[in-house]
Amino acid sequence: AYKANGGNNQKWQLVGMNNLSDSITSASGMQRNTTGGELEPSVSVSLLGKTLEKDKDYKVLYNESDKKPVNAGSYKVSIEGIGNFTGSKEIGTMTLYENANIDPSVPQKFICVANTDLVLDAAKEVPVSGAQVSVYKSNNGKNQAWSLTLGKDGYYTIANLGNSDLVLDAAKNPPVSGADISVYKANGGLNQKWILIKDGNSYNVKNAANPDLVLDAAKNPPVSGADVSAYKANGGNNQKWQLVGM
């Protein structure tokens, strides 16, 4: 404390700490398949250690509109302060992919583009929870047939017809590159949900819990019995799958 002398070193600007440009943000669910309904990511915003409330402290914008996306395309996601908060901050890009338009009542065979003799296969004719998934020579068994159901959340669940209680599952939530793929009892986890992305006449199949990872058959081209894992996308044909109704 010093005797006032009018110097600028004795003058202070007061700035409210309520500007969202200084906030800490995160978002998940930024990639989905279209469902015909509105889709939105899960956004978390905190400022000065306080978690802010959506629609009270901030609103989420998509390409600068508060209308949630419905159609396939890319959307710039940002937040804008409301109520006691000001400013804005960009979160990232949300991408919606056209859904595969598959009738869930028609079982599908996943054919590996790198070796079209091989299909996605759950171990044993009637697999048990935890059974390994590989690519195997097609024999039209039920353990090689899969039912795809698109949820309202924009993710596919892929169930095995050899045991319809079991779904395609990437180890751990979220999985890391190289995570094993098995069929596992459905639990609603994002590691059991998938995003289908059209690539010519085939699909890349991304894991919802870690969309950097796709269904991958070991080696290119794979041989019968090759393991299937969730692996970082590299554009290889061993990561592309043709869906054929059975």
Side-chain angles (χ1 to χ4, degrees):
Y2 201 82
K3 184 175 177 137
N5 58 27
N8 285 340
N9 59 323
Q10 295 183 345
K11 296 177 182 179
W12 307 86
Q13 291 180 340
L14 299 182
V15 179
M17 299 180 70
N18 61 345
N19 193 307
L20 294 190
S21 64
D22 298 321
S23 64
I24 296 172
T25 61
S26 64
S28 60
M30 296 284 273
Q31 297 185 49
R32 313 279 185 96
N33 283 112
T34 58
T35 64
E38 294 180 336
L39 293 167
E40 59 180 321
S42 176
V43 175
S44 174
V45 181
S46 63
L47 186 62
L48 299 176
K50 176 187 176 183
T51 299
L52 304 189
E53 293 184 37
K54 180 175 171 286
D55 297 327
K56 176 185 175 185
D57 302 321
Y58 67 92
K59 59 182 177 180
V60 181
L61 302 178
Y62 308 89
N63 291 342
E64 301 183 0
S65 167
D66 57 7
K67 187 175 181 181
K68 300 179 184 70
V70 174
N71 299 318
S74 295
Y75 300 84
K76 183 180 74 174
V77 181
S78 59
I79 54 170
E80 184 176 281
I82 56 178
N84 294 324
F85 293 87
T86 64
S88 62
K89 188 170 187 177
E90 187 170 339
I91 304 294
T93 300
M94 182 177 188
T95 304
L96 300 187
Y97 300 97
E98 287 286 2
N99 66 61
N101 195 28
I102 290 172
D103 184 343
S105 68
V106 178
Q108 300 291 315
K109 181 187 297 186
F110 282 73
I111 300 173
C112 183
V113 171
N115 184 342
T116 55
D117 289 335
L118 307 183
V119 299
L120 202 65
D121 174 291
K124 298 186 178 179
E125 188 173 350
V126 180
V128 296
S129 190
Q132 185 69 31
V133 171
S134 62
V135 285
Y136 204 83
K137 191 170 178 62
S138 179
N139 57 31
N140 293 319
K142 283 189 174 182
N143 60 319
Q144 295 183 345
W146 305 84
S147 174
L148 283 74
T149 303
L150 178 61
K152 292 181 180 180
D153 56 5
Y155 299 126
Y156 280 94
T157 301
I158 303 174
N160 187 265
L161 259 65
N163 183 342
S164 58
D165 289 335
L166 307 183
V167 299
L168 204 63
D169 175 292
K172 298 186 179 179
N173 191 4
V176 297
S177 190
D180 282 341
I181 299 296
S182 64
V183 286
Y184 204 85
K185 188 170 179 63
N187 58 31
L190 282 178
N191 59 318
Q192 296 185 339
K193 297 184 179 185
W194 304 86
I195 306 158
L196 270 61
I197 302 170
K198 187 79 169 172
D199 184 358
N201 294 321
S202 61
Y203 290 89
N204 296 120
V205 184
K206 290 190 173 188
N207 188 262
N210 185 346
D212 289 335
L213 308 183
V214 299
L215 274 187
D216 174 290
K219 299 187 178 178
N220 190 4
V223 297
S224 189
D227 284 342
V228 173
S229 64
Y231 204 84
K232 188 171 179 64
N234 57 32
N237 282 339
N238 59 320
Q239 297 184 340
K240 296 178 183 180
W241 307 85
Q242 292 177 341
L243 298 182
V244 177
M246 296 178 71

